[in-house]
Structures are given as C-alpha cells and as structure tokens.
Amino acid sequence: MKQALIFDMDGTLFQTNSILEPALIGTFDVLRKNNLWYEDTPIDTYREIMGVPLQVVWKTLCPSHSLEIREKSNSIFQEKLVELIKNKRGSLYPDVESVLEKLGSDHELYIASNGQIEYLKAIVDTYSLERFIKKVYSIQSIPSGQKSDLVKMIISENKITTGAVIGDRLSDIMAAKENGLTAIGVNFDFAQMEELKQADKVIDHFIELL
C-alpha cells in the first residue's frame, strides 16, 4: 500500500488570498445594496478564521443576520469565487504542480477541504489537478462538518494505513493526529504560529515536502 498524503486546499495548495478580497468585496457590496450591511468589508476578520467550516465563517462575519441571509451571502460569495477561479484570477502556490507530480509517483494524493464542492471543482478543473489527485473530498460530504471526520472517511474509503495530512490550520493538524497520521503544517498566508506548534513538522515552502 502506498503512503497517502491528504492535502488541505485553501492556503495550502491554492493561494486563496488572491481571490478572497474581490469576492468578499463583491458579496458585501450586494449586502450594502440591500441595506443589510453598512460597514467596511470584514476582510481581516475572514483571514483570521480562514479554514473553519462555512457556517462558522458567516456566523462570525454576520453575527446579527438571520440564518437565511447568511446562507444567501455564502451563495453569492461562492459564485464570485468560482467566477474568479475560472477567469484565472487565482493561482496555486509556487512549485505545487511539480511537487504533486513527483509525490504522485509513489504516494496516493487526496484533497480534504472545508470548501464547497463547486468551488473545489473549479480549482481542480482550472489547474487540471486531477492529473495528480486521486480524489477530492469536500466537507459537505460529512454531516458533522468536522475536518477530522472527513479525513476519517477518506482513510476508511481508501483503506489507508499510513500517511500525512498537510494543511495550514489547526483543523488540519488535529485531523491528522486524531486519525493516527503525521501532521505537516504549512507556514503560508493564513497559518498561525500557535496552531503550527502542534504539527509534527512545519514547512515554509511547498517544495520542502520532497
């Protein structure tokens, strides 16, 4: 059995910060036009919570709004993200494609992301990641919405016995540890040092995975 490597997407493979600001601004512009928001777009707040489940994102960004408005806001946000991705406004981190190609020769590669299915599909299709990735898993497939449960499902479905989870946030690190895998933290845009301290290993550049 090949060793499995399970990657987070946002802030690990894909430079989400390149499309985050325009998508958020567009979303909150719509809210302003409907008199549902009167302040600046909360970009910094979103960066602080990047990687948490989407229901937590919108509860944090719009604490005074109803569940219906939060869900509508998320739908608008997702549409704008997908549009930006398809227009190639985003990008993968340096060396991602070459590293995945090399790792794929003797590892099984998976993606486990808190991103929604259409969003992940847009990234995979735009950058042809299916060349390297065996399967992409979205948090939408897990009722609990927990990354640890998503990784557990990946392990079960693919009969994984050894491997690592690579990601930038605590949810990725804990998903590895709670499932008996190595936790590799990536010190990229959204990473926080206090969280990375809990990883087994930390890398500053993607090519270090080799």
Side-chain angles (χ1 to χ4, degrees):
M1 170 65 75
K2 291 183 177 181
Q3 186 181 56
L5 300 177
I6 303 172
F7 293 89
D8 176 44
M9 178 67 88
D10 293 313
T12 300
L13 299 178
F14 185 70
Q15 297 188 62
T16 313
N17 58 339
S18 59
I19 61 172
L20 172 62
E21 185 168 338
L24 268 183
I25 288 173
T27 302
F28 280 87
D29 281 347
V30 173
L31 294 179
R32 289 187 192 94
K33 289 177 182 177
N34 289 278
N35 296 315
L36 295 170
W37 192 261
Y38 304 97
E39 303 170 24
D40 293 336
T41 302
I43 294 171
D44 289 339
T45 301
Y46 185 74
R47 285 174 175 158
E48 290 175 2
I49 61 173
M50 186 70 191
V52 303
L54 286 168
Q55 62 266 31
V56 178
V57 168
W58 291 101
K59 185 176 181 179
T60 303
L61 296 182
C62 301
S64 301
H65 292 71
S66 66
L67 178 60
E68 181 182 2
I69 293 175
R70 289 176 192 164
E71 290 178 346
K72 179 60 177 176
S73 299
N74 182 60
S75 295
I76 296 168
F77 183 54
Q78 295 299 318
E79 290 171 4
K80 293 186 178 300
L81 286 173
V82 169
E83 181 181 353
L84 289 163
I85 292 165
K86 289 182 177 180
N87 289 330
K88 293 196 172 180
R89 290 281 302 277
S91 60
L92 301 173
Y93 280 98
D95 301 311
V96 162
E97 290 178 89
S98 62
V99 170
L100 291 182
E101 182 177 15
K102 291 177 181 177
L103 290 175
S105 63
D106 54 2
H107 297 78
E108 290 185 347
L109 310 185
Y110 303 90
I111 290 174
S113 172
N114 283 335
Q116 294 189 343
I117 293 170
E118 288 303 312
Y119 169 76
L120 296 173
K121 185 177 186 301
I123 297 174
V124 170
D125 290 350
T126 299
Y127 298 97
S128 302
L129 294 182
E130 71 279 354
R131 291 173 291 163
F132 320 116
I133 304 297
K134 185 174 181 180
K135 190 169 181 180
V136 179
Y137 291 83
S138 166
I139 202 71
Q140 284 179 296
S141 61
I142 290 293
S144 70
Q146 298 297 315
K147 180 68 76 72
S148 291
D149 291 335
L150 184 61
V151 169
K152 183 178 180 179
M153 183 179 78
I154 295 172
I155 290 172
S156 177
E157 282 191 6
N158 299 283
K159 298 180 173 57
I160 295 169
T161 57
T162 181
V165 177
I166 300 96
D168 64 325
R169 299 308 302 264
L170 185 61
S171 59
D172 303 302
I173 295 168
M174 297 312 298
K177 290 181 174 294
E178 292 174 9
N179 286 286
L181 301 179
T182 300
I184 301 177
V186 297
N187 187 22
F188 298 167
D189 296 303
F190 302 110
Q192 298 188 19
M193 289 309 301
E194 285 303 312
E195 296 182 356
L196 291 178
K197 286 179 181 178
Q198 299 191 51
D200 297 308
K201 298 179 183 296
V202 176
I203 61 172
D204 295 311
H205 304 283
F206 202 77
I207 200 167
E208 292 174 33
L209 277 177
L210 297 178

